[in-house]
Amino acid sequence: MIKTLKASNIVGYFFSGFAFILPIIGFIAPKGNTLLAISASLLGFIILKIQNRKINFLGRPFIILFLLIALWSLTTSFWAPNAISAITGSMKLLANFLIGAAVFSVLNSVNLIERRLILRSLSLGFFVTLALIFIEVLFESPINIFLKNVNTNHLKAGGILLKGAFWLNSSIVNLSLFLWVLFCYWLNRHPFIDGFKNSAFIIVGFFSIILSATLIGYITGIVAILIGLVGWLGILIFRKRAVIALAAIFAINAFSLPFLINGIEDFESIVTKRIELPNSAVHRIKIWKFTAKKIYERPLLGWGMNASKYFSDGKNTVYSASGAILGEVLPLHPHNSVLQIWLEFGLPGILIFLCLGYYFLKIAHQGIKSDLVMAIILGQFLTFFIFASLSFGLWQSWWICLAWFAASFMKLAITLNSNE
C-alpha cells in the first residue's frame, strides 16, 4: 500500500479522479461536494507526506481572515436567538474553512504533469455532466426519475421542456464556475493558437451553459453567467480601471445594500412595475425587504450566527400583489450573501469580508501579468458572487466546498505551464 502511494504522479491520478467526479456529483447529489472535499484534503495530505513532498499552504493573510470570521461567528453566539445553533454553525463554518484551505493547499502542491492530468479530467467530467443535463431536458428527466423519483407532472403541464426543474440548478452552478477554469486551461494549453479558436471555445462553452439554464428556466444561472461575461469583457477593455471600479462597486454594495432597500418605500412595487418577474423572484424581493428591516434593528453587532432560522415573524406567509402565495417571509436564509452577513454578523462581519475581498483582488491584480487571465479570474469571481447574491445560503457546506474547489482548480489552470 505504502509502495503504491509512493508511485510517481500518484497524486495526479488521485486528484484526477476527484476532478472527474466533482461535476457529476453536482448533477447527482450536490451535498456530496463536502464529502469529496474532506476525502481530497485528508488523503491528498497523507499521500504528499508519504512522498515527502512540500505542501504549499494557503497564504497567512487568508488564514487570519478566515479565522477572524470563525471567531466573530462564535462570539455572536452570546446574543444569538439560539446559542446552541450558533455555536454548532460556527464550528461547522470553521471546519469548512479548514477543509477548503487544505484542499487548496494540497492541490497547489502538485507538479506540472499532475496539473495537466487533473485539468484534463475536470474537462472530461464537465462535458459528461453537460451531456447528462441535455439528456434530462430532452427526455423529461429520466435519470433523476430513476435515481430520485422526482415528480415532473408540473413540468409537462408547463409545456416548455423542463422549465422549473430546480434539481438541475446545482449542476448549472457547478458547470458555470468550472467553465471559467476550463477557459483558462485552454488558453494556457494552447497559448499560440489563433484568436478565432479561443473565441469559439468560450462562445460555445458559455452558450451551452446559458442554453441549459434557459431550458430549465433557471434565471439566476443566466444572469450569473452574463454578469461574469460583462465583467470579463470590462477587464479586457479597461484593465486596471475596471478592477478599481469593481472594488468600489463591491464596497458600496456591501455598505449600502440593506439600508438602500429599507429606505425605499414599497420596494417590491417599484421593481415589479418596471420588470415582469416570476413569483420566485418576487418572493426574493419580499425576503430582502424583511431582512433589511431586521438589519436596521441591529446593524452594529447583528443578530448572531444562524439567526435567520429563528425569527418567529420570519415564518409568516407572504403574498404577491396578485394574491399568489409566495411562501415564508424568511425561509432559512436571506438568499443574499451581503444581507446574510449584515443580518447575522453586523458591521464587523461586513468589514472582515470586505478585507477578504480586497486582499483577493490585490493578490490577483499583482500576481497575474496577463490581462486575459486576470479577466477570466474576475469573471469567475463575479459569476460566483451573483449566485451568492441570488440563490444559496452563505454557510451551506456544499456551497463553500464548491467555492474552494473552483478556486483551487483555477490556480492550477493559471500555473499550468509554470513552476509556481
Side-chain angles (χ1 to χ4, degrees):
M1 179 67 177
I2 298 297
K3 184 177 180 180
T4 301
L5 295 179
K6 288 184 176 181
S8 176
N9 296 326
I10 188 64
V11 176
Y13 292 116
F14 169 75
F15 278 118
S16 292
F18 279 94
F20 174 74
I21 293 171
L22 188 59
I24 301 173
I25 285 293
F27 174 84
I28 298 173
K31 292 183 179 179
N33 287 348
T34 307
L35 181 60
L36 283 180
I38 294 171
S39 303
S41 59
L42 290 178
L43 295 177
F45 185 82
I46 290 170
I47 295 173
L48 287 173
K49 281 298 182 182
I50 289 175
Q51 294 191 349
N52 198 28
R53 289 170 57 173
K54 179 184 176 183
I55 299 177
N56 299 315
F57 289 101
L58 186 67
R60 185 178 298 176
F62 280 116
I63 294 294
I64 292 173
L65 288 169
F66 286 132
L67 290 177
L68 278 176
I69 293 169
L71 179 60
W72 179 247
S73 172
L74 185 61
T75 303
T76 64
S77 63
F78 285 105
W79 56 83
N82 188 312
I84 294 176
S85 177
I87 293 171
T88 303
S90 299
M91 293 298 99
K92 287 182 178 178
L93 182 61
L94 177 60
N96 286 328
F97 285 154
L98 293 176
I99 291 167
V103 167
F104 186 90
S105 298
V106 293
L107 274 171
N108 195 31
S109 304
V110 301
N111 61 36
L112 293 175
I113 296 175
E114 291 164 345
R115 289 176 209 168
R116 297 188 179 103
L117 287 172
I118 294 168
L119 292 171
R120 197 178 302 146
S121 295
L122 181 65
S123 303
L124 182 59
F126 176 93
F127 288 111
V128 168
T129 306
L130 192 60
L132 291 175
I133 292 174
F134 279 108
I135 289 173
E136 289 287 274
V137 171
L138 296 176
F139 300 101
E140 297 181 341
S141 200
I143 300 172
N144 274 282
I145 289 176
F146 175 75
L147 294 176
K148 304 177 184 178
N149 195 30
V150 298
N151 187 347
T152 60
N153 291 332
H154 67 292
L155 305 180
K156 295 174 184 176
I160 308 177
L161 295 175
L162 282 185
K163 185 177 181 181
F166 59 86
W167 54 87
L168 295 178
N169 290 356
S170 56
S171 299
I172 301 297
V173 175
N174 279 22
L175 297 187
S176 298
L177 296 178
F178 292 146
L179 182 55
W180 291 102
V181 176
L182 298 187
F183 180 35
C184 189
Y185 166 56
W186 178 268
L187 178 71
N188 285 333
R189 184 184 177 189
H190 304 282
F192 304 110
I193 205 167
D194 62 73
F196 173 77
K197 290 185 178 180
N198 269 332
S199 299
F201 175 84
I202 189 171
I203 291 171
V204 171
F206 284 105
F207 175 77
S208 298
I209 300 298
I210 293 173
L211 178 61
S212 302
T214 302
L215 292 176
I216 66 173
Y218 187 32
I219 297 175
T220 299
I222 300 170
V223 173
I225 283 292
L226 291 178
I227 294 295
L229 286 171
V230 169
W232 168 72
L233 186 60
I235 299 296
L236 281 182
I237 296 174
F238 300 106
R239 301 182 180 180
K240 184 178 179 179
R241 287 175 292 177
V243 177
I244 295 172
L246 182 62
I249 290 170
F250 277 119
I252 293 170
N253 174 68
F255 280 121
S256 66
L257 182 61
F259 309 105
L260 181 64
I261 293 174
N262 198 54
I264 299 175
E265 293 296 331
D266 203 6
F267 179 65
E268 176 196 352
S269 296
I270 292 175
V271 176
T272 54
K273 281 181 180 178
R274 289 165 172 76
I275 308 172
E276 185 177 350
L277 298 174
N279 284 340
S280 59
V282 176
H283 190 199
R284 289 283 194 280
I285 294 172
K286 295 280 191 181
I287 293 171
W288 296 341
K289 185 66 175 179
F290 176 84
T291 303
K293 288 181 178 179
K294 288 295 182 181
I295 291 169
Y296 191 76
E297 294 174 16
R298 289 190 183 180
L300 293 180
L301 300 180
W303 288 86
M305 179 65 171
N306 279 340
S308 304
K309 303 176 182 179
Y310 297 101
F311 293 118
S312 58
D313 49 349
K315 304 306 176 184
N316 296 335
T317 302
V318 289
Y319 304 84
S320 67
S322 63
I325 297 176
L326 300 176
E328 295 180 352
V329 69
L330 183 54
L332 297 181
H333 55 81
H335 292 80
N336 181 284
S337 55
V338 170
L339 293 179
Q340 187 166 358
I341 294 168
W342 267 112
L343 181 69
E344 299 183 357
F345 290 174
L347 181 60
I350 283 293
L351 291 174
I352 295 171
F353 273 92
L354 278 176
C355 288
L356 186 62
Y358 168 78
Y359 189 71
F360 167 78
L361 289 175
K362 180 181 178 182
I363 292 296
H365 179 63
Q366 292 180 347
I368 305 300
K369 305 302 180 184
S370 167
D371 290 332
L372 181 53
V373 172
M374 178 69 180
I376 292 172
I377 293 172
L378 292 183
Q380 184 195 50
F381 176 75
L382 275 172
T383 302
F384 173 84
F385 180 76
I386 297 301
F387 279 122
S389 298
L390 298 176
S391 284
F392 309 110
L394 191 58
W395 315 133
Q396 290 177 279
S397 295
W398 77 270
W399 174 235
I400 295 175
C401 290
L402 175 62
W404 278 110
F405 274 121
S408 301
F409 289 135
M410 180 61 82
K411 182 64 185 295
L412 293 186
I414 293 168
T415 59
L416 181 65
N417 298 314
S418 72
N419 292 313
E420 293 181 30

